[in-house]
Amino acid sequence: IGTHIINTWPGDALKVVGKAQVPGNEWTHVAVTYDGSGKAAGVKVYYNGKAQETLVEADALKSTVRTGVPFKIGQRNTSEPLNAAGLQDLRIYTRALSPAEVESLARVTRFAAILEKPADQRTDAEKNDVYPWWLGTFDAPYQALTADLGKLELEHAAIKSRGTIAHVMNERDEAAMAYILFRGEYDKRRDPVQASTPDVLPALPEDFPLDRLGFARWLLSPEHPLTARVTVNRFWQEVFGTGLVRTAGDFGVMGELPSHPELLDWLAVEFRESGWDVKGFFKLLVMSSAYRQAALATPEKIEKDRDNRLLSRGPRFRMDAEMIRDYALAASGLLARKLGGPSVRPYQPPGVWEAVAMIGSNTRDYVQDTGEKLYRRSLYTFWKRAAPPASLDIFNAPAREFCTVRRERTNTPLQALVTLNDVQFVEAARHLAQRALKEGGETDDARLDFLARRLLVRPFRDEELPVVRSSLSELLGYYQAQPDDAKKLIAVGESKADESLDPVALGAWTMLVNQLMNLDEVLNK
């Protein structure tokens, strides 16, 4: 089947022919469409609703096809007509039909003979052939449900397009194999080496597979001496500041010996036999007499145990970056208690991401979150490795470019600038000040006691109270003289200041809380 679209043959004409022949001795629905583009690519040929591959024998139409030559089917202008072929139900449309429309027409033609039969004379194959077409053409509920399904499929595809692909490794059928390389050159293999465990550690049981699952089971086996010991040492380091083995990342001959080897052994066995209960293990540590000691250091203790390796006093060290932020939010009452969910983008100085991001990167611009997301635990903060959150980075949070077993702890003026001036901390101070004014009691002393118990977890001492009262008096005097400064201060942060409170009083109490939140006793554990 082919078509000529001609002004003058052959220099000003199109001719497109289907590659496949129409089957003989059976009815075939044939359709030829043309989009009026003047190009052979605009001509499509269909057999029974299916588009066919075509051959282009002429593609040079430049002029109109309105000519005096008649429109003919199955015959050129003056040649003999087509023989031994039948034509039925000829239709001519004034526009190009879409592939779906051509397919629908082909179905109607094919189904006409089936539908002419009485229903009881139709075969099951004919019914199964006609039924989907009838549903899509005449059944309104089916069409409505199909449209809804299409919308859901589009929504599903959009959700999938926003996600990421997780590549999962599969175990190979053959055993993993490596080779000793001569002088380290990859193309000079020597003896093969199979997967195994170091001779100094317990052997891998024969019934364990030589793969990652077998290795994981071996690491957690009761005979393995290191897994539990290394783990409890890192937990101890988190609570006491320094591990029983100071070199938490090296238990080998290059590392330090444990300060209390028997204690380390007992903790490892206790942790393993508890079913690797992490929460229970931390509860054990913080309820121990060693941890609950006072952090006071006497000259005798400093002389005999300068670094507290013998646990002569309670641990005292600056909290980690995430703890400092979360403690400020928790003490103020702003901390969102929600668990789980996607990462969030809290307050951050402008331009941090833009300074290092590449053009076209999906993390080129930092878009700050709003509402509850600003006050979620630091665990949920979105982390860009090339530009980690500034307030956490200043407090020695690792950049996450590589594994960090033990964080460094420094004390710098920048840290004080964060806790004094960062939006998150100023807003937390204002929120706690609001609570003190509304929930702390009717007198200043009652409110000061409320603040002390929220921040220091104890009341102020007799020698401390006069200092705090004096500071509050000075702040009230300043903001009474500079009320606009008080209004600017309490406007910091997304959450709104309590309008029922006097801005001057709220500003003074905000600055007082801000000072108290910067005490060493608040920032250290």
Side-chain angles (χ1 to χ4, degrees):
I1 297 296
T3 182
H4 295 73
I5 303 174
I6 302 172
N7 179 276
T8 304
W9 183 262
D12 192 359
L14 301 177
K15 181 179 180 182
V16 180
V17 182
K19 284 187 177 181
Q21 294 188 356
V22 174
N25 301 318
E26 65 180 65
W27 284 106
T28 302
H29 182 273
V30 175
V32 178
T33 65
Y34 172 56
D35 63 4
S37 63
K39 303 293 182 182
V43 179
K44 307 294 182 184
V45 178
Y46 299 86
Y47 297 167
N48 290 327
K50 304 297 181 183
Q52 302 295 306
E53 293 187 45
T54 57
L55 297 172
V56 177
E57 298 184 7
D59 189 8
L61 182 63
K62 300 182 289 291
S63 307
T64 179
V65 292
R66 293 181 179 275
T67 68
V69 177
F71 173 72
K72 291 190 175 184
I73 297 176
Q75 182 186 14
R76 293 185 176 86
N77 184 25
T78 57
S79 65
E80 293 293 323
L82 179 67
N83 295 318
L87 184 66
Q88 178 179 312
D89 193 18
L90 172 66
R91 302 185 184 193
I92 300 174
Y93 294 86
T94 58
R95 63 178 178 83
L97 300 182
S98 68
E101 291 173 321
V102 174
E103 183 179 10
S104 179
L105 285 172
R107 285 181 177 178
V108 171
T109 303
R110 186 170 76 253
F111 297 153
I114 299 175
L115 296 174
E116 288 175 357
K117 293 182 181 181
D120 57 353
Q121 296 181 15
R122 299 170 191 160
T123 66
D124 289 341
E126 290 173 336
K127 293 177 182 177
N128 293 334
D129 197 20
V130 172
Y131 185 59
W133 167 78
W134 180 86
L135 284 175
T137 306
F138 298 103
D139 190 273
Y142 177 85
Q143 295 171 357
L145 291 173
T146 301
D148 292 341
L149 177 61
K151 293 178 181 178
L152 291 174
E153 289 175 341
L154 287 174
E155 184 179 348
H156 180 255
I159 293 173
K160 288 181 66 177
S161 68
R162 295 196 299 268
T164 56
I165 298 174
H167 298 281
V168 179
M169 294 186 294
N170 294 321
E171 296 288 357
R172 298 186 302 179
D173 295 332
E174 67 275 9
M177 184 67 68
Y179 298 90
I180 297 175
L181 304 179
F182 178 69
R183 300 181 66 84
E185 298 185 26
Y186 69 91
D187 58 343
K188 294 182 179 179
R189 293 178 174 179
R190 293 295 188 264
D191 298 335
V193 179
Q194 293 184 340
S196 186
T197 55
D199 291 339
V200 296
L201 295 174
L204 193 74
E206 294 182 358
D207 59 335
F208 279 23
L210 290 174
D211 55 19
R212 289 171 291 156
L213 176 60
F215 180 64
R217 291 171 58 189
W218 173 77
L219 283 173
L220 297 177
S221 62
E223 298 79 18
H224 198 290
L226 280 179
T227 305
R229 288 163 56 85
V230 170
T231 303
V232 300
N233 188 66
R234 293 188 184 180
F235 291 163
W236 183 280
Q237 174 182 269
E238 188 65 30
V239 172
F240 285 86
T242 304
L244 294 171
V245 177
R246 195 198 299 266
T247 53
D250 188 352
F251 271 56
V253 295
M254 300 298 291
E256 288 191 17
L257 293 174
S259 59
H260 300 73
E262 295 85 358
L263 175 59
L264 181 61
D265 290 342
W266 183 86
L267 290 172
V269 173
E270 180 73 15
F271 181 53
R272 188 194 69 203
E273 293 185 352
S274 71
W276 309 88
D277 184 355
V278 175
K279 187 174 182 179
F281 184 79
F282 272 97
K283 182 177 180 181
L284 173 69
L285 294 186
V286 297
M287 293 182 66
S288 66
S289 297
Y291 181 75
R292 291 159 61 192
Q293 294 181 97
L296 297 175
T298 64
E300 181 183 8
K301 289 180 179 180
I302 293 175
E303 180 183 355
K304 295 182 177 180
D305 188 18
R306 185 190 63 182
D307 298 327
N308 202 28
R309 296 295 289 150
L310 301 179
L311 305 175
S312 62
R313 56 191 181 275
R316 183 181 183 276
F317 55 90
R318 198 207 69 223
M319 292 190 292
D320 290 335
E322 297 88 344
M323 293 182 183
I324 291 175
R325 177 179 175 272
D326 291 356
Y327 187 68
L329 292 175
S332 68
L334 279 173
L335 183 68
R337 302 290 178 174
K338 177 183 175 182
L339 298 178
S343 299
V344 296
R345 293 171 171 82
Y347 299 115
Q348 178 169 288
V352 175
W353 279 17
E354 291 77 2
V356 298
M358 295 182 293
I359 296 175
S361 169
N362 61 352
T363 58
R364 177 172 176 79
D365 301 310
Y366 188 86
V367 181
Q368 178 185 300
D369 278 323
T370 58
E372 181 189 53
K373 295 181 179 180
L374 290 174
Y375 315 113
R376 298 206 64 194
R377 290 178 173 87
S378 301
L379 169 70
Y380 300 108
T381 299
F382 188 94
W383 204 283
K384 183 181 176 73
R385 285 188 298 176
S391 62
L392 302 183
D393 183 39
I394 290 172
F395 282 96
N396 306 116
R400 300 189 183 181
E401 294 180 330
F402 48 82
C403 178
T404 301
V405 176
R406 183 175 59 182
R407 294 188 182 188
E408 296 296 329
R409 281 193 175 88
T410 61
N411 291 289
T412 69
L414 283 176
Q415 295 166 356
L417 291 175
V418 170
T419 52
L420 284 170
N421 301 323
D422 187 89
V423 177
Q424 194 88 88
F425 289 88
V426 174
E427 183 181 25
R430 189 250 300 158
H431 201 270
L432 182 53
Q434 289 178 178
R435 295 188 60 188
L437 290 171
K438 301 190 71 173
E439 305 171 26
E442 298 300 325
T443 65
D444 287 349
D445 282 354
R447 292 165 178 169
L448 292 175
D449 185 67
F450 177 85
L451 293 178
R453 295 181 185 277
R454 293 291 299 181
L455 293 172
L456 303 173
V457 200
R458 65 169 177 82
F460 284 122
R461 300 188 185 97
D462 292 339
E463 65 271 19
E464 295 171 336
L465 265 176
V467 178
V468 180
R469 290 174 184 151
S470 173
S471 181
L472 176 61
S473 177
E474 290 180 8
L475 290 167
L476 282 170
Y478 174 82
Y479 285 118
Q480 285 169 353
Q482 306 289 338
D484 289 341
D485 287 355
K487 292 179 181 179
K488 291 179 182 178
L489 174 64
I490 64 176
V492 172
E494 184 186 271
S495 64
K496 302 301 181 183
D498 192 328
E499 295 181 356
S500 65
L501 297 174
D502 176 25
V504 170
L506 180 56
W509 280 89
T510 297
M511 283 305 299
L512 178 67
V513 175
N514 186 251
Q515 291 177 8
L516 296 176
M517 288 173 62
N518 280 271
L519 293 174
D520 281 352
E521 191 172 340
V522 175
L523 301 175
N524 289 264
K525 66 186 297 293

